């Protein structure tokens, strides 16, 4: 399942976006600030991605492996997240830490939009704790 988002940016955010690890992390943390509408959209997309394993709730998420090419406006990042799965019939909650989701994105410099989308190969993803 592919999840995709469309996020409106402002010029100042693009001016800060550089092909440097600290800049990229700051950019993602800013546009996906916890409790913001963008964060909630991302959280919902992740919960849809992980739904086959139960009723998920994303508890925390962090970005890593961030890459960006300023010339093409294309990049990628990985989300490392903790999820709680609730199983209502059994009144049971399972905690899974360090689950991962791979995302790519395209920045449209003219329209000031970023389009992040998840990998179409989410079924083949791996997690830290599987090995």
């Amino acid at each position: 399942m592919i999840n995709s988002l469309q996020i409106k940016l402002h010029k100042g955010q693009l001016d800060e976006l550089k092909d440097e690890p600290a800049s990229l992390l700051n950019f993602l943390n800013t546009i996906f600030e916890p409790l913001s509408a963008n964060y909630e959209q991302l959280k919902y997309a992740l919960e849809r991605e992980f739904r086959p394993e139960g009723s998920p709730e994303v508890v925390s998420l962090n970005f890593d492996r961030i890459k960006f090419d300023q010339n093409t406006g294309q990049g990628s990042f990985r989300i490392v997240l903790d999820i709680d799965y609730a199983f209502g019939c059994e009144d049971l909650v399972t905690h899974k830490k360090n689950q991962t989701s791979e995302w790519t994105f395209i920045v449209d410099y003219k329209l000031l939009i970023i389009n992040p989308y998840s990998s179409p190969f989410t079924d083949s993803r791996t997690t830290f704790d599987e090995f």
Side-chain angles (χ1 to χ4, degrees), residues 45-81:
L46 290 165
E47 288 169 350
R48 283 184 53 207
E49 178 182 335
F50 285 87
R51 183 161 283 147
E53 296 181 37
S55 179
E57 179 185 353
V58 173
V59 178
S60 68
L61 61 90
N62 295 295
F63 302 100
D64 74 354
R65 295 187 185 173
I66 309 165
K67 297 176 186 170
F68 180 63
D69 182 332
Q70 285 179 276
N71 296 323
T72 64
Q74 297 179 348
S76 64
F77 57 89
R78 182 176 75 163
I79 300 173
V80 179
L81 59 149

Side-chain angles (χ1 to χ4, degrees), residues 14-75:
L14 286 182
D15 291 341
E16 296 296 319
L17 183 58
K18 296 177 178 54
D19 188 11
E20 302 166 356
S23 172
L24 295 170
L25 181 59
N26 186 48
F27 175 77
L28 290 175
N29 283 329
T30 299
I31 64 170
F32 294 114
E33 182 177 349
L35 304 178
S36 69
N38 293 337
Y39 180 89
E40 293 302 319
Q41 285 181 343
L42 179 61
K43 183 178 162 185
Y44 177 74
L46 290 165
E47 288 169 350
R48 283 184 53 207
E49 178 182 335
F50 285 87
R51 183 161 283 147
E53 296 181 37
S55 179
E57 179 185 353
V58 173
V59 178
S60 68
L61 61 90
N62 295 295
F63 302 100
D64 74 354
R65 295 187 185 173
I66 309 165
K67 297 176 186 170
F68 180 63
D69 182 332
Q70 285 179 276
N71 296 323
T72 64
Q74 297 179 348

